[in-house]
Amino acid sequence: MHGLLGLLAYLLLEETVAWLLLVELGLLLSFVLSYILYRKFTRPLRLLGTGIDAIKDQDFSVRFRPTGSAEMDRLVKVYNQMLDHIREERRQVQEQHFFLDRLIQASPAGIVLLDYDGHVTEINPMGLELLGLRNPPIGQKLEAINHPMLKELAGWDSGQSGILSGKGQERYRCEVVQFVHRGFNRRFLMIQELSKEMLATEKRAYAKVIRMMAHEVNNSIGAINSILQSTIEAYPEVPGDEFAEDIKASLEVAHQRNQKLNQFMRNFAEVVRLPEPNREWVAAGEVLKRVKQLMLPLAQRQSTALELVVPDHPIRLEIDEEQIEQALVNMVKNALESLGRGGTVKLILSASPAQIIVADNGPGLPPGAEREWMSPFYSTKPEGQGIGLTLIKEIARQHGGRCELETLPNGWTECRIRFH
C-alpha cells in the first residue's frame, strides 16, 4: 500500500501540487495506522512473553491490568485467574508440607523415610531416641546401619507389620508403609514403643493377683499363728517325754514357717505398693559410694572384688535417692550371688548416656534368659522368686527409664538402669 502511494506521488509530482500533498498526507496516515495496528498485534505477544518469563522464574505475584481492548482483557482475565489458582495451590502445598514436616518431627512414633533406592532420607527425633542412634544415618541403606532392628526391617515387604524386641524390656510395633511420590514408589518405617503399655498391663495383672493372695494368706496365717502360739504356750512340758518334745518342736517349726510365708507375701506386696518416686537432683556418685560401702563386707566374705567406676566430674541425676539405692543393693546382691566366690563386680556411672551399671564377670545369663528375664518375677536361681529383679525394673520404669540385662561378648554381664 505504501509502495502504491509512493508511485502515485511520483507520477503526480509534476502535475498537481495539491494531489502531491494529499498523497503524502495519506502516506503519513498509513504509517501511523500501521504503527497502531502493529502495537495492537504485538502487545498481547509482549504480555504473553512477560507472563511466560514470570512463570519460568516461579514468580506468581505478577498480575496484568485490563487494557480496554475486549479481546486483550479476556486474555488478561484468564491469565490472572490462572496465576491466582497456581498461587493458591502452591500456598496449600507449602502449608501441607510444613504441617506434615512438623507432624513427623513431633510424632510420638519413630519415622524413617527412604528414597526410591532404599536410602534413608530423613529420621525424626523419636526415631533416633527409640533406635538409640546419636546421628541420623542419612544416605545409608537399612542393612548397612549397625542396628539389629533396622537390619531386620530391611528384609520386610511393604505393608508388613509386627512386634520386635529391643535389648531390654522394650517392645516395638513396626510397620513398613509404601506411598507414591512423583510417580515412583517410596517406603517409610513406622516404629511405636509398646513397652510402657505392656508393662503397665502386666503390673495391673500381677498386682491384682498379689493383692488377692496376700489378703487370703494373711487372713489364714494370722489365725493359724494365733492358734499355734496359744498351743505352744499351753502345751504341758513333761520332762523325759520325747513325744511331747517333738510335738512342741514341730509346732514351733510350723509357727516359724508361717512367719516366713508372711514375710514372703510382704515382699511381693512391696513391689505392688512401690510409691511414686520423690525425685530430686542428687550427686549419683555419692549414692554408688554408699552402696559399695554397704555391700563390701558381703563381697569380702566370698572373696569377690567390688570396684567403683565413676567419672572425675560429678554427675547429678533427678532421682529418688532411696529407691535408686534400693535398686542398686538388689543389683549388687544378684551379681554377687551369680559369682558365688571370687570374680569382680563393678559399679559404673556414666553421663552419656545417663545410666548406672552393675557388671560382673561371672558365668553370664543362661541360654534364653535374655528374653525371659523381662517376665514378671523371673529368676535364674532354682529357689528364687525374682522379687529383686522385678523391683529393679519397676523402679527404673517409675523414673522414666528402663532396665537392661545382657551378657556382652567380652563375658561381662551388665544390669543397667538407663535414664531418659
Side-chain angles (χ1 to χ4, degrees):
M1 184 176 178
H2 292 164
L4 290 175
L5 289 174
L7 178 63
L8 184 60
Y10 175 76
L11 295 175
L12 296 175
L13 179 62
E14 297 179 353
E15 296 182 3
T16 307
V17 176
W19 278 105
L20 176 63
L21 294 176
L22 184 62
V23 169
E24 289 180 347
L25 180 62
L27 187 60
L28 179 62
L29 290 175
S30 174
F31 274 114
V32 172
L33 181 61
S34 298
Y35 177 74
I36 293 173
L37 290 175
Y38 172 78
R39 290 291 303 271
K40 284 187 177 183
F41 280 117
T42 59
R43 188 174 182 185
L45 297 177
R46 289 198 305 272
L47 285 176
L48 286 175
T50 304
I52 291 172
D53 291 338
I55 294 174
K56 187 184 298 182
D57 296 335
Q58 296 188 356
D59 181 7
F60 304 117
S61 61
V62 176
R63 291 176 60 87
F64 295 129
R65 287 191 248 181
T67 61
S69 170
E71 295 297 329
M72 192 65 197
D73 288 348
R74 285 181 60 191
L75 180 62
V76 167
K77 182 179 179 181
V78 170
Y79 178 84
N80 289 339
Q81 288 178 348
M82 180 185 69
L83 284 192
D84 290 341
H85 184 68
I86 293 175
R87 187 168 55 250
E88 180 64 20
E89 283 192 345
R90 190 181 187 189
R91 183 187 63 80
Q92 291 179 0
V93 169
Q94 289 176 341
E95 289 178 352
Q96 290 174 358
H97 183 270
F98 177 77
F99 172 73
L100 182 61
D101 183 66
R102 297 288 295 177
L103 185 64
I104 290 174
Q105 297 300 316
S107 172
I111 297 176
V112 182
L113 293 176
L114 307 176
D115 63 10
Y116 311 110
D117 298 320
H119 297 90
V120 176
T121 59
E122 187 177 350
I123 179 170
N124 68 343
M126 182 54 68
L128 290 174
E129 181 179 336
L130 293 179
L131 295 171
L133 300 175
R134 293 187 180 182
N135 301 312
I138 305 300
Q140 300 184 43
K141 284 201 168 187
L142 295 179
E143 54 268 24
I145 302 172
N146 187 24
H147 194 284
M149 188 184 300
L150 292 179
K151 288 181 182 294
E152 186 169 351
L153 289 174
W156 285 22
D157 298 324
S158 298
Q160 186 175 347
S161 63
I163 297 177
L164 298 179
S165 301
K167 287 185 178 180
Q169 299 167 277
E170 301 90 349
R171 291 290 186 276
Y172 303 101
R173 184 182 186 279
C174 303
E175 186 174 3
V176 180
V177 184
Q178 181 173 291
F179 66 101
V180 178
H181 181 246
R182 296 181 179 179
F184 295 93
N185 291 327
R186 287 183 61 182
R187 299 192 305 164
F188 70 90
L189 313 178
M190 184 175 292
I191 306 171
Q192 295 175 292
E193 187 177 10
L194 304 178
S195 309
K196 294 180 180 179
E197 290 77 4
M198 293 177 68
L199 289 173
T201 303
E202 286 180 353
K203 184 183 176 183
R204 286 194 297 269
Y206 68 67
K208 184 176 181 180
V209 172
I210 290 173
R211 283 195 296 267
M212 292 172 58
M213 290 171 57
H215 180 266
E216 296 300 324
V217 171
N218 289 335
N219 285 346
S220 301
I221 286 178
I224 293 171
N225 277 349
S226 178
I227 294 172
L228 289 174
Q229 188 65 37
S230 299
T231 304
I232 292 171
E233 292 175 356
Y235 199 86
E237 294 186 5
V238 181
D241 189 346
E242 294 183 0
F243 180 74
E245 291 177 358
D246 289 342
I247 292 295
K248 194 165 184 177
S250 299
L251 291 175
E252 289 177 351
V253 169
H255 182 266
Q256 292 173 3
R257 185 56 191 163
N258 272 354
Q259 291 290 83
K260 291 181 179 179
L261 180 59
N262 191 26
Q263 183 61 43
F264 175 76
M265 291 307 304
R266 285 178 184 173
N267 291 338
F268 271 103
E270 283 181 5
V271 178
V272 177
R273 292 196 300 264
L274 187 67
E276 289 293 323
N278 181 22
R279 302 172 69 172
E280 296 178 351
W281 288 99
V282 299
E286 296 300 319
V287 179
L288 268 68
K289 289 179 182 178
R290 287 200 303 272
V291 172
K292 178 189 176 183
Q293 194 66 29
L294 177 66
M295 303 301 292
L296 189 58
L298 181 60
Q300 290 174 341
R301 281 199 295 270
Q302 65 179 53
S303 303
T304 298
L306 187 57
E307 299 178 2
L308 182 65
V309 182
V310 296
D312 296 332
H313 59 280
I315 296 176
R316 300 180 65 82
L317 298 175
E318 191 179 12
I319 57 175
D320 186 313
E321 194 169 349
E322 293 183 2
Q323 288 190 9
I324 293 299
E325 190 171 318
Q326 185 179 7
L328 281 170
V329 168
N330 280 278
M331 291 162 69
V332 175
K333 181 174 176 291
N334 288 343
L336 291 173
E337 289 176 352
S338 69
L339 284 169
R341 288 194 66 82
T344 303
V345 174
K346 293 182 179 181
L347 282 84
I348 306 170
L349 175 65
S350 70
S352 182
Q355 61 182 356
I356 298 172
I357 305 172
V358 174
D360 69 82
N361 58 351
L365 295 173
E370 289 194 357
R371 292 186 178 272
E372 293 295 330
W373 76 270
M374 292 172 286
S375 304
F377 305 106
Y378 172 78
S379 176
T380 58
K381 292 171 283 189
E383 297 181 359
Q385 290 85 37
I387 296 174
L389 187 55
T390 302
L391 184 64
I392 296 167
K393 292 187 288 187
E394 184 63 20
I395 290 174
R397 187 189 68 81
Q398 292 200 160
H399 277 76
R402 64 177 185 266
C403 178
E404 298 177 354
L405 179 65
E406 65 173 330
T407 298
L408 303 177
N410 60 9
W412 285 80
T413 300
E414 291 187 354
C415 182
R416 297 182 289 264
I417 295 180
R418 179 170 292 189
F419 303 94
H420 289 302

